[in-house]
Amino acid sequence: MFEAAEINAEHKDLIHDVAYDFYGNRMATCSSDQYVKVWDQIGNEKWTLTSSWKAHSGSVWKVTWAHPEFGQVLATCSFDRTAAVWEEIIGETPGPGERGTRHWVRRTNLVDSRTSVTDVKFGPKCLGLQLATCSADGIIRIYEAPDVMNLSQWTLQHEITCKLSCSCLSWNPSLTNNHPQMIAVGSDDNTAQTGKVFIFEYSENSRRWMKIETIITIMEPVHDISFAPNLGRSYHILAVATKDVKIINLTPIKDNSSIQSGLTKLDVQTVAQFTDHTCTVWRASWNVTGTVLATSGDDGCVRMFKMNYINSWKPVTVLKGDGAVIPNDAHRGSIASSTGVLTPPITQTASYNDSGSMVRNGVNYTLKPTNCPQHIPPRLFKRIRQSFNSI
Amino acid sequence: MSTISVLQEGPVNALALNKDNSQVAIGGRNVFKVYSIEEDCFKEICNLRASKHLNLSFSCNDVAWSSTDDNYLATAATNGHVCVWNLTKSGKAMQEQVYQEHKRTVNKVNFHSSEPYRLISGSQDGTMRYFDMRCKAAVATFLSNTESVRDVQFSPHMPHTFAAVSENGSVQLWDVRRTEKCIQQFTAHSGPIFACDWHPEATWLATASRDKTIKVWDLTTSKPTLDYTIHTIASIGHVKWRPQRKYHIASCALVVDCSINIWDIRRPFIPFAAFNEHKDIASGVAWRGDSQVFLSTSRDCSLIQHSFKDASRPASKANIQALDISTKGNTLFGMRVPVSTNTTKPTGLMRKSSTSTISDQFHQSASVLHQFTHVSVCNDLSSFEFLAKNYILYGRSFPEMCEHNAAVAKECGKSNISTIWKIVNTMYGELYVKIQAMHNNGGLNLMNNVDASSTEKKNNDVVGEAAAAQFSSADDDVEGEDQVDHTAVANGYHTYNKYGHPKGDFSFGENELDLELDALSIDYRNGMRNQNQLQQQEDWTLPNEAFNIRHEIRDRSPPPEQFPNNNSPDFNDDSHSSTVDEQPTWLVSVSKIPPMPIWDPSASLIESLKHHAEKGDVQTSVSVLIVLGEHRKNLKTLDENTVTHWLMGYIQTLERFRLWNVKALVIELAWIPSISQMNQQSTRINTNCSQCLKPLQRSGWLCDRCHSTDASRCSICHQVVKGLYVWCQGCSHGGHLMHMQEWFSKNKQCPTGCGHLCEYR
């Protein structure tokens, strides 16, 4: 059961992306009005606007959080052909008991693209601080911050040409060294009659990113692409938002040729295809365990899909964008006859809250670490260490 | 009209259309030509640089075409000359007038829209000059008091007024009859203004600047008002209002952006249309009288006629929806909503055409953002947290942990996970160990194979019943008698009962333990056993065994094709549990117990763990593996990479839920070096003595130099803290965690009385 609450984001134009942070207590929104806003959830109820700034000189397409181990870090990409990395800075505490002001500083501006940067994503944490961008001219760029404590230094490590205009990308979030680094890229090109989803893999042998697969069954423009979090599967699941929702299983095949070339061969299988939206599907997003896929389309609905115990994907929930919740009873399709409990949308005004409860460094108590180190994210530790050294 | 283009020998700086829009003059440093615009090509009419006596006055910064007399062109030359060209003449005579009055390069020339012969120029020397083509010298000179004038434009509404913009960011309005002082002056931008354009109908002046903005000023009142600001991605070099579209304006950038953008000033963030044909930055734009066609020149040496139908629409590629799911399963969804169109529109000047549907909707863009919060009490994610917190993974005996964890899982409604724990307990509990021991000792051959046909069944049932008995030991009244019978017969098993009772201090579930579940677990086991034995059947050899090959298995319970889901009703089927009741028929006839055919449950267990992991539930897989402890070595076919993957997955999920203690525990209990090493990373902290600032190297609490333990004393009890120490980063006082917690539950100030308002969270 879902309860809907409207958040008055007060963006002056379309909101193009929202992103929860790692824990789900903060979120960032970005809009065509060139602003990025960061919100904090106090307790379990209200989202309060804590930061809002003009991030770019063009529409901000995407916003994404880095793993909190690297601090409070955001990346954005924009129509203005740049991608930027932002870090939240907590200012000097004005007095005892008061909180320092928080603001976001642009740590770097990645200006390599000659066209609109359509997507930006941080790589899996185990790879350090890596950032992938893709742009409308079909170039995928991989950046790396060699020193995770210095977010202003990023080096362009790889440039992969994809030929078609790229609209979205997704890192394979797999956590093991079983699988090499992998990126899936989707194209929104609507002229070429070719596959629109490309899988790239980092080859340790050649130290380059290589295209290992083009999913030729998807010829329609792709608007969003997303690897499911892989906590323990032997294969990868990719969700693609095109004119419908596609769920694709990518199973690595171990054979001689793949061992020789050092590149993974994939068995590509479309395991589910949903036309429930009956129109263009814009977004696809996974829950943290990779068991529920949410998609949204021009019909203004969020639809959720879940895999049942015999490994087949089934629609489970429909949420209307206007806040209504439609339970998925036996008669799918009869969405109009909604019997769901309609919660009146709660409008909340954005206001700056000065008594935020973000647990970050600043004036707070932390544990003495020698005994119980894992209680605090490592990054915090480094900070503590620094601050202690300076005493 | 389609997109056509023609290449020049050099970069083009400017273009000008004649009054009926059939011809175009282009000018650059090395280019000065007039083309007629045909249906599908440009036709060169005249090359004004054909003359042998070329000088700097032939190189143009700007070109203007008289709007009253089609034969007159004016150019702004780089050497500061303003030239007037008569197209009816030829050769040197074409250059009818050369005004050598500006001291520096001339940036712009502009003909008066109604008065023939009148033109104005703006120069880098900061002056503007007003010419009458019939006179040899300027009629008037205007001093802008700025370093340079970048653009001058006659107003279409006020016949004697022109606007001039300067590099210092100011806009001036002049009356051509008053040379001494401008009518109006205001600062429009924070950087140089490169261009301005009067709206053909409204009283707007658009200004374009290096500060990456285009601003639209309403100049009806004495004080100019800023009506619109467009934020662009680069410095703007030129702007031109689109005819017949009140709110549209074309712009080209001075750097970075090679495209020509058409903006709807009401949506100042994203271009309404973009033309990307140029390879280098565009230098000039001229509309061909109507809203659908315009011409442009560029530094890439080309002259292009653009047709609006070939435009790209950046907004159409934009993602109109936003979606994300949080750790807690909440969903954020932002989507475009139609804006109510009954807002009062300024009428009169706005013209509607048949193609205006897109433009009408274009500027009305807004999104709503909703959060859908998971409110159901029991969902996968809340139970994850509950299980993670309540599982016991170490410190007790194996059966105890299994029992406890099974009960915990059951408490939060996860009966399938609960069953797994029970099965694991049965398979690897004391019972299993005994069997294995027996097997290893060559087997206690207490009985012969009396009834071959029932052996299989018996084996099934012995183990199955034992398990059932063990499960039901919490409520003995159900199957107590069977249990006793069994204990008597299967004398190898009499010990199990002792371990069957949970020793832990938790007794929940005792009354809830439903029979169905027990029956269900037996079914699992039977199913799995059968499956397992079927597998073994294929390569069944008898290297040491002293008994005959048994007959084919009578497969009574079909092997389950899937690991059961707790929602599946099939497993409550009574047909399987009935096997339990059949025992007495053979129990009495048995005189010897056959050697326990050792059945290795590992394959099944691995399969079930894998099943859970693939379903996204690594928690179960990892927890079972941890609790299994030494038994893990039996799971030989489970490779380390997979297990590492599961552990990493579980640890990451715990991080997301901020379950740091559980995470630390899992890492500590992990048997794979790469995981257990995670606890040793970034865990060092260096402390200095609070008295002498010497780094404390030997121990964290005693200073070698001043032999003080001040740094590590608890502010409350004044004892040296060994173990958990918390301190305030603001005043650096601290102490025992418990003491601090207690203190700050009542107080806000530091316990030492230093006056610092510590923040304890």
Side-chain angles (χ1 to χ4, degrees), chain A residues 1 3 5 7 13 15-16 20 22-23 25 27 32 81 176 178 296-297 311 321 368 374-375 388, chain B residues 257 267 269 319 321 324 327-328 332 367 369-371 373 375 615 641 645 655-656 661 679 686 725:
Chain A
M1 203 63 230
E3 210 168 67
I7 298 160
D13 206 307
I15 296 170
H16 293 299
Y20 282 108
F22 187 76
Y23 305 111
N25 295 338
M27 66 151 174
S32 257
R81 301 154 182 223
T176 60
N178 278 8
S296 74
N311 292 355
K368 190 165 184 174
Q374 285 300 323
H375 292 233
F388 207 86
Chain B
D257 189 1
R267 191 175 179 188
F269 308 113
N319 213 331
Q321 293 186 339
D324 200 16
T327 301
K328 296 172 186 70
L332 267 179
S367 289
L369 187 62
H370 277 94
Q371 174 166 262
T373 315
V375 291
K615 289 279 174 295
N641 276 340
H645 192 177
E655 277 176 13
R656 282 189 184 271
N661 286 320
N679 259 0
N686 296 318
Y725 181 88

Side-chain angles (χ1 to χ4, degrees), chain B residues 371-595:
Chain B
Q371 174 166 262
F372 297 95
T373 315
H374 238 295
V375 291
S376 45
V377 185
C378 185
N379 61 54
D380 285 355
L381 297 164
S382 64
S383 61
F384 174 90
E385 205 169 338
F386 179 82
L387 293 178
K389 280 180 184 160
N390 290 290
Y391 273 162
I392 291 184
L393 302 176
Y394 76 110
R396 308 240 182 135
S397 74
F398 178 74
E400 271 181 274
M401 287 194 280
C402 289
E403 283 289 335
H404 172 88
N405 294 344
V408 166
K410 194 165 169 53
E411 198 191 355
C412 73
K414 294 278 171 190
S415 51
N416 59 336
I417 297 174
S418 172
T419 312
I420 293 261
W421 283 108
K422 290 183 179 178
I423 293 169
V424 167
N425 189 10
T426 314
M427 286 170 169
Y428 292 96
E430 292 292 324
L431 176 66
Y432 174 77
V433 175
K434 285 274 182 211
I435 300 170
Q436 215 171 27
M438 272 158 54
H439 185 77
N440 293 343
N441 297 338
L444 292 163
N445 253 337
L446 295 174
M447 300 178 199
N448 280 327
N449 223 356
V450 178
D451 185 0
S453 67
S454 68
T455 313
E456 177 53 34
K457 179 178 157 193
K458 179 164 46 186
N459 289 340
N460 269 350
D461 290 342
V462 167
V463 184
E465 183 56 21
Q470 193 172 2
F471 290 154
S472 60
S473 57
D475 45 355
D476 279 353
D477 53 318
V478 185
E479 289 184 289
E481 284 179 42
D482 285 349
Q483 188 187 326
V484 174
D485 285 351
H486 258 294
T487 343
V489 177
N491 52 1
Y493 302 159
H494 67 275
T495 49
Y496 78 88
N497 208 13
K498 270 195 278 183
Y499 296 93
H501 282 286
K503 281 182 195 156
D505 44 16
F506 27 83
S507 55
F508 57 88
E510 208 165 24
N511 299 321
E512 313 163 359
L513 203 66
D514 54 303
L515 276 173
E516 278 184 354
L517 188 70
D518 285 350
L520 184 120
S521 64
I522 295 164
D523 290 341
Y524 281 174
R525 293 174 34 71
N526 285 343
M528 283 161 65
R529 282 163 44 76
N530 282 343
Q531 196 177 29
N532 192 269
Q533 288 186 344
L534 275 172
Q535 286 161 2
Q536 289 183 353
Q537 199 81 35
E538 290 161 23
D539 52 357
W540 182 260
T541 50
L542 290 172
N544 304 317
E545 304 291 343
F547 56 88
N548 295 328
I549 290 179
R550 287 171 295 167
H551 74 101
E552 295 257 310
I553 292 169
R554 284 208 329 236
D555 193 6
R556 287 172 309 155
S557 53
E561 68 280 354
Q562 275 300 324
F563 210 85
N565 183 289
N566 63 330
N567 296 326
S568 166
D570 306 345
F571 295 93
N572 297 329
D573 196 353
D574 283 334
S575 64
H576 300 320
S577 51
S578 65
T579 56
V580 174
D581 303 328
E582 291 171 13
Q583 306 148 7
T585 55
W586 56 267
L587 264 178
V588 285
S589 67
V590 165
S591 57
K592 290 177 183 174
I593 290 181

Side-chain angles (χ1 to χ4, degrees), chain A residues 366-387:
Chain A
T366 45
L367 295 168
K368 190 165 184 174
T370 42
N371 297 299
C372 204
Q374 285 300 323
H375 292 233
I376 303 163
R379 169 113 177 162
L380 192 51
F381 256 106
K382 289 175 187 165
R383 291 258 164 87
I384 296 168
R385 189 171 67 204
Q386 288 177 341
S387 55

Side-chain angles (χ1 to χ4, degrees), chain A residues 136-325:
Chain A
D137 56 1
I139 297 174
I140 300 141
R141 293 180 175 85
I142 314 280
Y143 298 89
E144 188 173 4
D147 175 10
V148 296
M149 296 300 289
N150 179 9
L151 291 168
S152 48
Q153 203 181 47
W154 290 81
T155 49
L156 177 59
Q157 298 281 13
H158 304 280
E159 248 185 22
I160 318 157
T161 310
C162 179
K163 292 198 182 81
L164 291 177
S165 151
C166 300
S167 58
C168 48
L169 72 90
S170 176
W171 285 85
N172 186 342
S174 195
L175 299 161
T176 60
N177 16 9
N178 278 8
H179 315 296
Q181 305 169 38
M182 200 184 276
I183 287 178
V185 178
S187 166
D188 60 353
D189 182 280
N190 49 13
T191 51
Q193 285 297 304
T194 51
K196 296 289 157 57
V197 173
F198 310 99
I199 314 283
F200 296 92
E201 183 182 281
Y202 183 68
S203 159
E204 289 290 346
N205 297 353
S206 59
R207 295 174 177 277
R208 280 175 59 202
W209 284 84
M210 313 281 274
K211 193 195 295 187
I212 55 165
E213 191 68 50
T214 302
I215 299 177
I216 49 165
T217 51
I218 300 172
M219 310 257 272
E220 303 83 29
V222 172
H223 301 112
D224 200 5
I225 197 165
S226 180
F227 271 109
N230 185 350
L231 302 182
R233 275 188 310 271
S234 53
Y235 57 93
H236 316 294
I237 305 178
L238 188 66
V240 182
T242 79
K243 70 181 197 326
D244 51 18
V245 181
K246 285 192 176 70
I247 301 172
I248 293 164
N249 278 9
L250 303 170
T251 316
I253 313 169
K254 294 233 160 29
D255 63 6
N256 286 337
S257 67
S258 70
I259 292 163
Q260 275 170 10
S261 66
L263 291 173
T264 313
K265 260 177 114 177
L266 291 174
D267 174 39
V268 180
Q269 274 190 333
T270 307
V271 290
Q273 184 169 1
F274 294 104
T275 52
D276 296 41
H277 284 289
T278 64
C279 52
T280 305
V281 183
W282 285 102
R283 302 306 299 264
S285 184
W286 292 93
N287 71 341
V288 288
T289 48
T291 51
V292 176
L293 171 69
T295 62
S296 74
D298 267 342
D299 60 351
C301 291
V302 177
R303 289 167 194 275
M304 297 199 176
F305 304 93
K306 196 172 179 175
M307 187 158 70
N308 67 6
Y309 65 99
I310 52 164
N311 292 355
S312 86
W313 289 89
K314 293 282 183 249
V316 285
T317 314
V318 183
L319 307 169
K320 286 283 277 181
D322 57 7
V325 181

Side-chain angles (χ1 to χ4, degrees), chain B residues 9-25:
Chain B
E9 47 270 30
V12 190
N13 289 336
L15 80 167
L17 284 160
N18 65 347
K19 68 179 176 198
D20 60 1
N21 298 311
S22 61
Q23 293 181 6
V24 60

